[in-house]
Amino acid sequence: MSDDHARRARERIVRMCANPEGGHLGGSMSLVEILVTLYHDVLRIDPRLPRDPDRDILLLSKGHGAIGLYAVLAGRGFFPEERLATYGAPDSVFTAHPNPAVPGVEMPTGSLGHGLPLGVGFALAARLDGSDRRCFVVLGDGELQEGSVWEAAMAAGAQKLDRLVAIVDRNGLQISGDTEETVALEPLADRWRSFGWTVREVDGHDTDQVRTALTDVPHTPGRPTVVLARTVKGKGLPYIEGQARSHYVRLTERGHRRAHAAVTRGRRA
Amino acid sequence: MSVVTAERTAPEQTRAAREVYRDVLVKLVAEDDRYVCLDSDTGLFTAASWGGGARRYLNLGIAEQNLMGVAAGLARSGRIPFVNTMATFAATRALEAVKLDIAYNDLPVRIVATHGGLSAGHLGSTHHALEDLALMRLLPHMTVLVPADGPATESMVRAAAELPGPVYLRLGRGATPDLDAREPVRIGVAQPLRRGADVTLIATGPHPVLAAAEAADELAGDGIDAAVLNMHTVKPLDREAIVTAATRTRGIVTVEEHWAAGGLGSAVAEVVAELGVACPVRRVAVADRFAAGTGGHRHLLARNGISAAAVAVQARRLPA
C-alpha cells in the first residue's frame, strides 16, 4: 500500500517538473517514502480538519521538497489531486516552497534552518498544553550546515522534548556535490547524540524501517529523536539517481514521458 | 510653559522601563496562561517570582535565531510569547527569523528589545541598536512601539499583549524620568506634549522626547512656538498627526536615537513628501557612522548630537 502511495506521489512530482517553471526534483524524490509513511501511517491527522488543535505537526524544513509534500498531501486527501495542475501557473497556491495557504501545510519554510526552531516551539506548546501531540521536522542534510539547526537541537536536548522528532533526508548531496566534500557532516549520529538526542538510522526508502523508527516515539524518555534516513537523490529515476544535477529540473514532454515510465516501472520491479 | 523636563520630575518617578516591563510581564504571565516569557539569558528575570506562571518562563539560552522560531511555534499553537533580548540582536542577528517565522505568519509574538538606541552606552557599538526601528518598520504586519517613560511602558505592554499581530517594543537600559503627559498613550496615535503654531518637533523614545521638550522651551525664548509630539508608535504611523504638522506649521524636526536612514525621520519624510506640501523635514539622528566616542549613554547622546541644543538648531534653520 505504501509502495503504491509512493509511486503515485512520484508520478505527481515528475508531472509538476514538466511545468515550464520546473521543480526541485531530486530532493523531492528522495523524501517520498519518508513523507508517505508519515502521512499515511504515523501522523495523527484528519485531512478534513487540517487545523485540529490536537493534530500532530509536520514541518518540511527542507522547503525545497515542497512538490514532494504537495504530492503526498494530495494523496492523503487534503485537496483534490487535480489542483496540482496549477503548479507553476501565475497565482497558483502551489509555490516552489511550502505555502501555508495549501491545506495541510503548517508553516512557510524554504529558507533553510527554520524548521527545527519552529518545531521546538510547537513541542514546548504541546507540553504546556499537557497534550501528547508530536512534532516531526523533516530536514535536508545540506541544511544541517545552518547554525540555527544546532541552536534548536541544543535547546530541544536541554528542554528534554521527547515528542519532537527530526528526520534527516540524508541523500548525501547538496548543489555543489557531496556534502562530505563541501562541509562534512559526519560523524552525524555522534553529533546529534552529543546534543542530547536519540538517534535511529534507517534506509529512507524502506517504508517498514521508516515506520518502525517513527512509531513508539519517544524512544528514550526525556530525549528528542532524530531519524537519519539514508536516501538517494532523484530516487525512482535511475538515469539521474544520486546525481547533484537532479536538484532542480524542468522536464520536457519527452523527458516527462521517460520519467513517468520509470517511476511507474519502479512499482513492478 | 514646559510640560516635560527632567528637572520637574521627582526622583521616585524615575524608573528603568525594562524593570517596569518586567514587573508588568510577571503579573501578566501569572494571571493569564496564554502568556509565555521566552528569555535569551538576558538576566532581567533572575529575581522574578513567577508564582503560578513559573512553567511559562523559559530561558532558551544565548541563541536568538532559535528564540524567534520557538516563539513562532508557540504562537501558532495558541500562546502569546513575550520574547526578550537586546534590540540589536532582535533586529539584526535574528532578523530573518523575525521576518519569516513571525511577521510572514502574522503571529502574536511580542519582541521586547532592551538596550535600544545608544542606551548600552560604554558597552560599545556591538551593543548599540541604531538600525532596529528601520528594519522592524519594514516588515509587514509588525507594530513598532517605543514608550518614552515608565507609565507608557506599562500601558503599552498591556495594550500590546492584546494586539492580534506581531509587536516590536523598544526599551532602553537605564532609568529615565516619567513625562508629565496630559493624554494617555494610545497605540497608533501620537501623544501631543505641547501645542505650538510655528514648528513641530516629533520625537520617539525617552531621551529624544525630553530633548524635544527642552528644545521647545529654548525656542519659546526666541519667539518660536514649537509643538511637541511623542511619536511612540513608529508603525502604524499616525499619518494624520504628521499631515496636521506639515500643513499647520512651517516645518518639522524629528528626533530619534537611531541612524538617520530609515527611522522615524525617514518615516515622517515619506508621509510629507507624498503629501506634496512644501514642508521641510529636518532629522536629528545619529549620523551615517558607528556612534562617535566612548562612554556612558548621556555622553554618547551628546557626542552624537541627540540633544535639545541640536533640535533647537535645526528648528531655527527651518525657513521662516
Side-chain angles (χ1 to χ4, degrees):
Chain A
M1 193 61 187
S2 290
D3 290 347
D4 197 42
H5 288 307
R7 177 183 58 81
R8 299 285 307 279
R10 286 201 165 86
E11 287 173 2
R12 295 182 196 113
I13 291 168
V14 298
R15 179 73 249 168
M16 283 186 266
C17 288
N19 182 281
E21 294 284 353
H24 285 106
L25 179 62
S28 296
M29 296 293 255
S30 65
L31 51 68
V32 165
E33 281 78 13
I34 295 168
L35 291 180
V36 161
T37 304
L38 279 164
Y39 276 97
H40 289 275
D41 298 331
V42 177
L43 292 175
R44 293 176 298 208
I45 46 158
D46 181 347
R48 292 164 303 179
L49 298 169
R51 293 289 180 205
D52 180 347
D54 291 324
R55 73 195 183 280
D56 286 337
I57 300 290
L58 183 286
L59 303 172
L60 183 63
S61 193
K62 54 166 287 185
H64 54 287
I67 58 175
L69 178 61
Y70 298 153
V72 173
L73 287 173
R76 185 66 177 82
F78 278 85
F79 49 83
E81 178 176 355
E82 298 74 52
R83 287 187 63 194
L84 291 175
T86 67
Y87 171 80
D91 297 326
S92 169
V93 74
F94 299 104
T95 45
H97 292 99
N99 181 352
V102 173
V105 173
E106 298 286 354
M107 293 295 253
T109 45
S111 176
L112 298 174
H114 285 255
L116 204 55
L118 292 168
V120 171
F122 279 104
L124 283 169
R127 186 160 77 189
L128 286 174
D129 290 350
S131 162
D132 65 354
R133 64 181 188 266
R134 302 160 300 174
C135 181
F136 297 85
V137 182
V138 179
L139 299 135
D141 51 359
E143 177 179 11
L144 303 182
Q145 289 157 3
E146 291 282 4
S148 55
V149 173
W150 300 100
E151 288 186 8
M154 205 183 310
Q159 292 288 338
K160 307 186 189 306
L161 297 175
D162 56 17
R163 291 179 184 279
L164 177 66
V165 182
I167 300 131
V168 178
D169 180 8
R170 185 75 173 107
N171 63 36
L173 290 172
Q174 54 193 112
I175 287 181
S176 309
D178 191 329
T179 57
E180 301 314 286
E181 288 166 15
T182 311
V183 174
L185 302 172
E186 298 296 342
L188 193 53
D190 289 345
R191 287 183 173 181
W192 283 97
R193 275 187 209 104
S194 74
F195 277 69
W197 292 60
T198 289
V199 180
R200 290 283 181 277
E201 297 188 71
V202 301
D203 174 343
H205 298 303
D206 182 328
T207 49
D208 290 334
Q209 284 191 33
V210 175
R211 189 183 308 108
T212 302
L214 294 176
T215 311
D216 302 329
V217 166
H219 291 290
T220 318
R223 288 171 75 95
T225 295
V226 60
V227 176
L228 302 179
R230 288 182 307 277
T231 59
V232 176
K233 193 156 182 163
K235 176 73 177 178
L237 304 175
Y239 47 97
I240 57 163
E241 278 182 2
Q243 296 177 41
R245 71 185 173 95
S246 71
H247 184 77
Y248 198 94
V249 173
R250 186 176 67 80
L251 292 170
T252 59
E253 203 186 312
R254 187 162 156 266
H256 173 248
R257 278 200 303 273
R258 185 185 183 202
H260 182 84
V263 297
T264 305
R265 249 198 324 275
R267 182 201 178 198
R268 300 189 203 110
Chain B
M1 189 59 208
S2 168
V3 294
V4 190
T5 63
E7 289 71 29
R8 286 187 50 184
T9 305
E12 62 271 22
Q13 286 174 283
T14 295
R15 287 187 293 171
R18 60 190 181 127
E19 289 163 11
V20 173
Y21 153 72
R22 177 196 58 206
D23 295 346
V24 177
L25 182 67
V26 168
K27 275 185 227 156
L28 284 174
V29 171
E31 286 163 10
D32 187 333
D33 67 9
R34 289 175 303 161
Y35 299 119
V36 177
C37 176
L38 296 183
D39 195 3
S40 57
D41 205 36
T42 58
L44 184 59
F45 302 100
T46 311
S49 16
W50 295 96
R55 284 182 70 234
R56 279 172 280 115
Y57 167 77
L58 294 163
N59 186 351
L60 295 173
I62 308 159
E64 292 79 9
Q65 300 179 83
N66 181 58
L67 180 72
M68 298 300 174
V70 170
L74 278 157
R76 181 65 107 197
S77 306
R79 302 281 173 168
I80 302 177
F82 279 76
V83 172
N84 298 274
T85 182
M86 292 193 196
T88 192
F89 306 147
T92 53
R93 188 186 199 102
L95 179 59
E96 194 189 73
V98 174
K99 179 181 80 163
L100 294 181
D101 301 340
I102 296 171
Y104 186 18
N105 293 300
D106 196 8
L107 291 171
V109 174
R110 289 75 183 88
I111 299 165
V112 182
T114 61
H115 298 68
L118 295 165
S119 66
H122 81 119
L123 297 181
S125 288
T126 53
H127 284 58
H128 297 156
L130 297 170
E131 67 289 333
D132 57 329
L133 300 180
L135 295 168
M136 290 297 123
R137 83 180 180 93
L138 286 177
L139 300 178
H141 304 305
M142 189 65 74
T143 294
V144 181
L145 305 175
V146 191
D149 65 3
T153 300
E154 170 148 10
S155 62
M156 290 186 112
V157 169
R158 289 187 181 279
E162 297 298 329
L163 289 177
V167 177
Y168 179 81
L169 184 86
R170 185 208 233 201
L171 302 176
R173 182 191 188 200
T176 54
D178 290 356
L179 306 180
D180 180 14
R182 295 195 180 89
E183 294 182 34
V185 165
R186 282 190 297 144
I187 290 173
V189 182
Q191 185 185 42
L193 294 176
R194 175 177 177 137
R195 301 199 183 284
D198 296 333
V199 299
T200 307
L201 314 178
I202 305 179
T204 196
H207 293 280
V209 168
L210 291 171
E214 201 182 317
D217 279 352
E218 200 179 314
L219 291 165
D222 299 347
I224 298 171
D225 190 14
V228 177
L229 284 180
N230 171 13
M231 195 62 83
H232 48 71
T233 304
V234 173
K235 185 183 184 179
L237 199 59
D238 185 349
R239 290 180 62 92
E240 206 175 311
I242 296 166
V243 169
T244 302
T247 51
R248 300 212 183 141
T249 62
R250 60 184 163 78
I252 293 171
V253 179
T254 62
V255 200
E256 63 196 302
E257 244 183 283
H258 195 272
W259 275 314
L264 174 71
S266 295
V268 168
E270 287 160 13
V271 172
V272 173
E274 284 179 348
L275 201 59
V277 299
C279 172
V281 177
R282 290 179 170 274
R283 294 171 294 167
V284 171
V286 179
D288 186 18
R289 64 178 179 221
F290 287 88
T294 55
H297 187 196
R298 282 168 195 283
H299 173 74
L300 289 176
L301 286 168
R303 253 323 236 107
N304 289 278
I306 315 299
S307 64
V311 176
V313 165
Q314 293 301 329
R316 284 191 198 100
R317 283 185 189 161
L318 291 167

